[in-house]
Amino acid sequence: MSSKPYIYITRKLPEEIINNLCTFADVGMWEKEEEPVPREILLQETKKADALLTMLSDRIDEEIFQAGEKLKVIANLAVGYDNIDIELATKYGIAVCHTPDVLTDTTADLAFSLLLMVGRRLAESVELVKSGEWKSWSPLFMAGTDIHHKTIGIVGMGKIGEALAKRALGFDMNVLYHNRHRKMDVEKALGVHYRSFPDLVTESDYVVCLTPLTEETRGMFTKDVFRKMKKTAFFINVARGAVVIEEDLLLALREGEIAGAGLDVFEKEPIDPQHPFLKMKNVVALPHIGSASIETRTAMMKLCCRNIELILKNEKPISIVNEAMFLAK
Ligand SMILES: NC(=O)C1=CN([C@@H]2O[C@H](COP(=O)(O)OP(=O)(O)OC[C@H]3O[C@@H](n4cnc5c(N)ncnc54)[C@H](O)[C@@H]3O)[C@@H](O)[C@H]2O)C=CC1
Ligand SMILES: O=CC(=O)O
């Protein structure tokens, strides 16, 4: 039996990314790019693993922690870690790492792109040209809503929220934000304005959610929230699907309570191709691609590998979620 640690990676990663891990560990990997690892294989592999490199679609719960008798670290290829039971991981003495910072600008770019897409009806316009339905130029043909000088309301003014605010200011938008804690330094540096959650949704032309998914944020966008929004306003979600009651959003869109939605994330991913959201002209749906640039995904994969290496070598990782547990060791 090998004396090297064993690392299991739950999705195919490029060889050059994992080369360094192979110099000090045995590395196993689910070889399919498009399909998640089946649960029974993940459990089997976890039994021998010192480290797991996981995707945000892998549910990491007590069954995994119990199987992972040697497990020391889980490195999640995402900044969000709502797929992992952190409290239990800590109880089991397992470090959980994630990928903050490296994806901030890329995700903010995508959030702002979604805002442009819904406001200016870009996806609809592309479809229309491709399907040969473009008949003539006329005064209100495909007229959307302006972006400049409108009000954006950012819910969750963290790293990505701040990066989004900078993009919005570049478009001469008025920037409101709501956050768990008011950020006076950011207000001063950027010239953005704090609002309570109800005031933010009432005043904004574009409401963008960028909170983590937690027990507090789960289902925070309800029919009452959509009812408070302007009928001309758009809702954009780049956080997690479950921050929204999707039925309520659907109703708000159907009943014209809001003008449209831009969604990168859904409660169930991939979304069912028959889902009513996908039949609505005023909904732009993306396949959870917030951080999906080659540069950023490469940086995220490298960060996961580096965190694993540092923990397996008993050194301080770069980005750990349950830091208290690691420091206590
Ligand atoms: N669609 C995608 O591909 C991506 C989605 N994300 C999502 O975006 C989230 C945010 O990422 P970062 O900005 O890097 O995290 P962050 O931790 O820097 O920022 C999150 C902010 O949300 C605030 N917040 C937490 N609970 C809140 C509540 N109940 N009400 C108001 N504000 C609250 C926090 O105080 C913090 O300022 C991630 O947790 C992830 O779920 C992140 C990257 C890509
Ligand atoms: O959704 C992506 C993430 O990094 O979190």
Side-chain angles (χ1 to χ4, degrees):
M1 221 173 108
S2 166
S3 59
K4 287 180 174 177
Y6 179 62
I7 302 168
Y8 187 68
I9 304 175
T10 68
R11 202 63 72 94
K12 187 172 169 57
L13 301 191
E15 226 178 279
E16 61 274 19
I17 298 282
I18 61 165
N19 271 346
N20 186 50
L21 293 182
C22 298
T23 61
F24 68 91
D26 293 323
V27 179
M29 186 157 72
W30 177 244
E31 288 290 343
K32 296 186 185 166
E33 234 166 285
E34 302 292 334
E35 264 175 55
V37 62
R39 183 77 178 174
E40 58 280 13
I41 294 186
L42 176 58
L43 281 167
Q44 261 171 37
E45 293 288 344
T46 301
K47 281 185 191 153
K48 359 174 228 177
D50 295 272
L52 291 177
L53 195 163
T54 55
M55 306 299 120
L56 55 78
S57 48
D58 300 320
R59 184 170 41 86
I60 306 296
D61 55 12
E62 185 144 35
E63 196 181 17
I64 299 283
F65 303 138
Q66 280 179 348
E69 284 177 13
K70 301 197 297 166
L71 197 56
K72 295 170 193 66
V73 50
I74 295 166
N76 205 37
L77 192 77
V79 66
Y81 44 82
D82 48 280
N83 57 314
I84 303 176
D85 189 328
I86 300 296
E87 214 178 296
L88 265 186
T90 309
K91 207 173 116 195
Y92 277 82
I94 298 165
V96 177
C97 295
H98 66 149
T99 63
D101 304 306
V102 293
L103 48 56
T104 296
D105 283 318
T106 302
T107 308
D109 285 347
L110 190 278
F112 203 75
S113 304
L114 254 180
L115 186 152
L116 291 167
M117 286 180 84
V118 291
R120 293 299 303 272
R121 304 175 65 180
L122 299 180
E124 231 186 304
S125 297
V126 170
E127 262 321 296
L128 186 132
V129 174
K130 283 192 175 172
S131 65
E133 283 173 61
W134 181 22
K135 302 295 180 215
S136 67
W137 188 97
S138 69
L140 287 177
F141 174 62
M142 292 312 287
T145 305
D146 274 333
I147 313 295
H148 62 86
H149 301 101
K150 294 286 172 121
T151 296
I152 181 175
I154 301 174
V155 182
M157 193 61 140
K159 294 187 172 91
I160 303 170
E162 282 182 39
L164 175 63
K166 288 180 191 154
R167 282 147 181 80
L169 291 165
F171 273 68
D172 288 331
M173 295 185 86
N174 174 37
V175 181
L176 307 181
Y177 79 96
H178 175 73
N179 200 54
R180 252 184 328 181
H181 313 290
R182 192 165 169 178
K183 295 179 126 178
M184 303 303 287
D185 53 335
V186 177
E187 287 180 36
K188 211 166 146 199
L190 299 182
V192 298
H193 312 282
Y194 178 81
R195 291 289 186 276
S196 68
F197 184 53
D199 285 352
L200 177 138
V201 295
T202 307
E203 290 180 41
S204 300
D205 299 300
Y206 297 89
V207 174
V208 187
C209 184
L210 273 168
T211 62
L213 175 62
T214 63
E215 283 322 304
E216 242 176 75
T217 62
R218 186 178 293 279
M220 79 188 284
F221 288 90
T222 58
K223 58 175 173 294
D224 290 341
V225 171
F226 295 122
R227 224 168 261 150
K228 282 197 178 75
M229 285 174 63
K230 298 178 187 176
K231 289 198 183 327
T232 50
F234 296 88
F235 172 69
I236 290 148
N237 189 8
V238 186
R240 286 291 183 267
V243 300
V244 187
I245 310 281
E246 288 184 344
E247 294 250 306
D248 290 1
L249 173 57
L250 199 58
L251 206 69
L253 289 162
R254 279 187 177 142
E255 296 188 348
E257 301 275 7
I258 63 172
L263 309 170
D264 184 44
V265 287
F266 301 90
E267 182 142 30
K268 183 177 171 298
E269 296 180 359
I271 189 171
D272 180 341
Q274 299 308 317
H275 196 290
F277 280 153
L278 306 185
K279 299 189 170 36
M280 301 177 111
K281 284 193 168 172
N282 55 350
V283 172
V284 174
L286 299 178
H288 201 149
I289 54 164
S291 64
S293 70
I294 304 277
E295 297 90 331
T296 291
R297 286 287 163 83
T298 302
M300 290 165 69
M301 291 186 282
K302 285 185 174 167
L303 179 54
C304 282
C305 293
R306 184 74 183 131
N307 277 327
I308 288 176
E309 180 180 356
L310 287 168
I311 290 207
L312 293 184
K313 292 183 173 169
N314 269 325
E315 289 175 47
K316 194 174 183 309
I318 298 162
S319 44
I320 181 164
V321 177
N322 49 356
E323 189 161 21
M325 184 236 61
F326 185 74
L327 293 176
K329 270 193 159 183

